[in-house]
Amino acid sequence: GQQLNQSPQSMFIQEGEDVSMNCTSSSIFNTWLWYKQDPGEGPVLLIALYKAGELTSNGRLTAQFGITRKDSFLNISASIPSDVGIYFCAGQGDKIIFGKGTRLHILP
Amino acid sequence: KAGVTQTPRYLIKTRGQQVTLSCSPISGHRSVSWYQQTPGQGLQFLFEYFSETQRNKGNFPGRFSGRQFSNSRSEMNVSTLELGDSALYLCASSLGQGGDQPQHFGDGTRLSIL
């Protein structure tokens, strides 16, 4: 079946550093989505990408839809404490498939 | 605009009981999907409903069922509860079915089985 490989599984960074995470698949998707989940809450949509090659920003967040339509990355610039959480990618075609998440920790 | 609302937020049940969880989608959204989230398995797709019909189904046993009403609200039922059913159950809604409508999640129902 379709699977998404999201990496890294977890990251420990210093406040102010930039963050990069990505998702790859053997399948082609029509849409890539990035979500963030805080403890005790549901995932919140950060960025939606609809076209191969598309680069979209949302504040300090930037995501790109890979030109092969099989991958996507998310960058966070100048991380701050509230960026802590779990980030999920999702590829959407006939069905939506989620990555297993990247847990972001920020060291004081 | 109100988001996706799930009730109850927390639930404690014992093995063998059944449970019904409720989801009210964002106004105007017609598609509702359910997921089970556990620390080890991530987000596991249960099923999707659109226009009161189940359109997609994940790999869960028949103890897991759902339905959607004419106002797009959805319920999920789990019968004969097992310890392994302890999880966060998330509902997500989207405008329509298919690959061009992003899903928006509720805050989930945390189900604990004793």
Side-chain angles (χ1 to χ4, degrees):
Chain A
Q2 291 179 311
Q3 281 190 328
L4 287 187
N5 298 310
Q6 184 171 354
S7 64
Q9 280 189 321
S10 64
M11 304 180 71
F12 290 82
I13 63 167
Q14 298 281 348
E15 183 178 348
E17 287 185 10
D18 297 342
V19 173
S20 184
M21 59 191 78
N22 70 85
C23 277
T24 60
S25 174
S26 58
S27 303
I28 290 174
F29 292 105
N30 298 324
T31 304
W32 280 96
L33 307 168
W34 285 92
Y35 292 85
K36 178 181 181 240
Q37 186 174 24
D38 291 326
E41 300 181 11
V44 173
L45 182 65
L46 298 173
I47 293 179
L49 302 158
Y50 300 104
K51 287 173 56 176
E54 179 182 354
L55 186 70
T56 297
S57 293
N58 178 7
R60 294 177 296 103
L61 277 61
T62 302
Q64 183 157 30
F65 191 144
I67 57 173
T68 65
R69 295 170 61 193
K70 295 181 179 181
D71 63 335
S72 177
F73 72 75
L74 174 71
N75 287 340
I76 305 172
S77 63
S79 58
I80 59 177
S82 61
D83 291 335
V84 166
I86 305 176
Y87 293 80
F88 292 97
C89 65
Q92 199 163 0
D94 294 335
K95 299 181 180 181
I96 185 169
I97 310 294
F98 284 85
K100 293 196 180 295
T102 295
R103 187 178 291 273
L104 180 62
H105 304 267
I106 297 181
L107 304 170
Chain B
K1 190 175 186 181
V4 177
T5 304
Q6 290 188 247
T7 57
R9 288 295 310 275
Y10 303 92
L11 206 48
I12 299 175
K13 292 286 188 179
T14 57
R15 282 180 297 174
Q17 288 186 309
Q18 73 160 12
V19 67
T20 299
L21 312 181
S22 179
C23 172
S24 293
I26 292 172
S27 177
H29 283 195
R30 296 174 61 194
S31 175
V32 173
S33 297
W34 288 89
Y35 296 86
Q36 182 193 67
Q37 187 177 35
T38 56
Q41 296 298 319
L43 280 160
Q44 301 289 308
F45 172 73
L46 282 156
F47 25 65
E48 178 190 9
Y49 286 87
F50 180 80
S51 293
E52 303 177 64
T53 302
Q54 189 180 91
R55 302 294 177 145
N56 281 305
K57 190 177 188 304
N59 296 323
F60 278 81
R63 300 185 297 108
F64 292 81
S65 63
R67 59 178 176 168
Q68 186 181 34
F69 302 95
S70 57
N71 62 358
S72 294
R73 191 177 70 85
S74 177
E75 287 182 348
M76 191 192 95
N77 185 274
V78 188
S79 62
T80 319
L81 287 164
E82 301 176 359
L83 291 177
D85 296 334
S86 293
L88 180 67
Y89 289 88
L90 291 163
C91 165
S93 75
S94 60
L95 273 170
Q97 200 187 357
D100 61 347
Q101 303 292 342
Q103 295 186 352
H104 299 266
F105 285 85
D107 284 336
T109 293
R110 183 162 296 281
L111 176 63
S112 298
I113 311 302
L114 303 179

